[in-house]
Amino acid sequence: NNSPHDMQHTKGQKSAFKVAVFSAQPYDRRFLSQINQDHFQSLHVELVYYSSTLSQESTPLAACCEAVCVFVNDCVDEPVLKLLSEQGVRGVFLRCAGFNNIDLKAAERLGMFVARVPEYSPEAVAEFTVALMLTLNRRTHRAYNRIREGNFDLNSLLGFNMHKKTVGIVGVGKIGLAVARILKGFGCNLLAYDPYEEEDFKALGSYTKLEDLLQQSDIVTLHCPLMDSTTHLINRDSLKCLKKGAMLINTSRGGLIDTGVVINALKSGQIGALGLDVYENEASLFYRDRSSDIIQDDVFQRLVTFPNVLVTGHQAFLTEEALSEIAETTFQNLQHFADGTVCKNALVGGGAKIDD
Ligand code: NAD
């Protein structure tokens, strides 16, 4: 009973159904509207865009909609799902791979359909990850500013060759594997930690225990999902294993790192450089212009004062190719929802079974 209730006319012709798109940025609107117009007109979807994030307060915006379409910082917890369900919303469509922001069990209890975009251009995130590594290593972020100010001094811009350095990849899924392939081209030695081993990685590097990976790597990069078991994977204890002065990169989810502990490790020099595209309390900061605000998050503000820290605002996915694939897969998911057919990207409903 997951398909939209008022979509089917008796003659089998479909009527339009509305989807409230939260956290909609101009680029989301462009790619979603384009794919709707070019390839899915027969689905008769009406997209209603909202720049606001989904929260208990914003659920009324989805009134009259059969489904909502959300992104990484939208809150899809049990109270939000209940409010949506009471309004008649029966589908949740994530425009991302990670699903740590949705309560799947609550969605199942409410009989909802939930689908995500499990795979979209892993190279988009992988290439951005390597961009962070190279920027921090060769200090191009600092060189850019110096040259603009007429400062041609090279002191403190000293980097190292990537060639023959050891990079530890935590989580070798689609993105971790794409990172491994790029770094192999640089001539890096690759180590990986993942509870599930991927055959394709074995031709590029070797699997090891997390502790050994942290001890041996010059650069550690995180690519595992955020779950209860991976929350604060980088904490006081695991940091003790890290090679002194190693670089740490996180383009996965902010909650993988205990930020307070990492700040202390930067102060002591245990961490030599830190590249973050994600931050554990990013939801109240990212995706908006806050340049005229007094930012209240002192932990975040401390982070950005370090010369060896580079923070970006969850943009690793932001390429033409990735946005186009996200839009296409989202519409394929909507098609399954509308047709009541099995959806391989479903997390709840659509033939999906959730693990306990
Ligand atoms: P994936 O599911 O293909 O791979 C995740 C890998 O992590 C799997 O191989 C899994 O076995 C492994 N893993 C699970 N638990 C682990 C643990 N405890 N320790 C180490 N490894 C573990 O996912 P993916 O497509 O490669 O994406 C990885 C993550 O990247 C996503 O979960 C998402 O949070 C993040 N992401 C970020 C952006 C961005 O814009 N910054 C974009 C897309 C995805």
Side-chain angles (χ1 to χ4, degrees):
N1 191 28
N2 280 318
S3 1
H5 40 89
D6 59 353
M7 283 170 51
Q8 301 283 339
H9 284 315
T10 41
K11 285 181 190 150
Q13 207 206 347
K14 284 172 187 166
S15 61
F17 75 101
K18 283 190 182 177
V19 179
V21 184
F22 286 90
S23 301
Q25 296 288 343
Y27 46 81
D28 295 309
R29 295 167 200 235
R30 181 182 139 207
F31 283 90
L32 286 167
S33 293
Q34 190 76 48
I35 198 93
N36 190 16
Q37 189 186 316
D38 291 353
H39 299 293
F40 287 88
Q41 275 194 25
S42 59
L43 193 55
H44 300 290
V45 169
E46 188 187 328
L47 298 166
V48 190
Y49 293 109
Y50 297 110
S51 51
S52 43
T53 51
L54 177 61
S55 63
Q56 288 191 48
E57 292 70 39
S58 63
T59 51
L61 295 174
C64 310
C65 292
E66 277 78 12
V68 293
C69 180
V70 298
F71 198 49
V72 292
N73 290 327
D74 288 302
C75 169
V76 205
D77 61 8
E78 184 163 23
V80 166
L81 285 165
K82 275 190 176 151
L83 288 168
L84 289 173
S85 174
E86 280 161 23
Q87 288 176 190
V89 170
R90 283 127 62 76
V92 179
F93 294 84
L94 298 151
R95 304 195 294 283
C96 51
F99 49 90
N100 49 287
N101 54 334
I102 179 162
D103 185 335
L104 294 180
K105 292 208 170 121
E108 190 173 53
R109 279 195 296 278
L110 292 163
M112 292 177 119
F113 178 107
V114 181
R116 63 172 177 145
V117 182
E119 185 168 5
Y120 59 88
S121 186
E123 291 76 19
V125 182
E127 289 169 15
F128 192 85
T129 303
V130 177
L132 289 181
M133 286 177 195
L134 293 178
T135 304
L136 284 165
N137 172 13
R138 305 304 298 268
R139 276 74 159 166
T140 41
H141 56 312
R142 303 193 66 196
Y144 173 79
N145 286 326
R146 280 193 193 183
I147 299 301
R148 284 162 64 95
E149 295 197 352
N151 176 358
F152 302 97
D153 183 6
L154 296 185
N155 284 295
S156 70
L157 301 184
L158 187 65
F160 55 81
N161 284 9
M162 294 290 283
H163 187 241
K164 294 206 167 135
K165 290 294 175 301
T166 300
V167 182
I169 303 173
V170 180
V172 184
K174 292 172 283 292
I175 295 169
L177 188 62
V179 168
R181 288 190 172 122
I182 297 170
L183 293 176
K184 195 71 192 166
F186 281 90
C188 296
N189 302 318
L190 300 177
L191 294 177
Y193 167 70
D194 193 314
Y196 307 95
E197 298 195 355
E198 158 75 55
E199 277 312 305
D200 288 353
F201 178 75
K202 292 183 182 164
L204 303 168
S206 31
Y207 281 99
T208 175
K209 289 193 291 190
L210 180 61
E211 200 180 306
D212 295 340
L213 177 149
L214 294 171
Q215 274 165 3
Q216 292 170 35
S217 300
D218 301 292
I219 301 175
V220 173
T221 183
L222 308 179
H223 301 288
C224 57
L226 178 63
M227 306 174 289
D228 288 346
S229 60
T230 58
T231 299
H232 289 182
L233 183 85
I234 300 299
N235 55 39
R236 202 178 307 272
D237 290 334
S238 54
L239 273 178
K240 282 186 195 142
C241 303
L242 192 74
K243 192 189 239 192
K244 177 114 178 143
M247 183 190 291
L248 176 65
I249 304 284
N250 185 10
T251 60
S252 190
R253 285 292 182 268
L256 295 176
I257 288 182
D258 183 335
T259 317
V261 167
V262 158
I263 286 176
N264 286 332
L266 283 161
K267 285 161 85 174
S268 71
Q270 180 72 19
I271 294 180
L274 176 70
L276 300 180
D277 186 47
V278 287
Y279 165 61
E280 56 183 331
N281 295 318
E282 69 179 47
S284 59
L285 291 172
F286 287 6
Y287 299 127
R288 269 153 290 182
D289 180 359
R290 300 237 177 257
S291 53
S292 302
D293 298 351
I294 306 298
I295 295 192
Q296 300 295 324
D297 186 335
D298 293 348
V299 174
F300 183 82
Q301 290 302 81
R302 179 67 181 102
L303 257 190
V304 294
T305 63
F306 292 95
N308 54 347
V309 171
L310 181 57
V311 184
T312 50
H314 206 145
Q315 72 170 83
F317 69 97
L318 200 66
T319 68
E320 298 261 342
E321 292 79 0
L323 288 183
S324 161
E325 286 170 38
I326 289 170
E328 174 146 17
T329 306
T330 298
F331 266 86
Q332 285 164 358
N333 294 343
L334 281 165
Q335 179 92 59
H336 287 293
F337 170 64
D339 295 345
T341 47
V342 171
C343 175
K344 70 177 184 345
N345 303 325
L347 296 166
V348 175
K353 271 226 150 307
I354 58 173
D355 298 334
D356 286 317

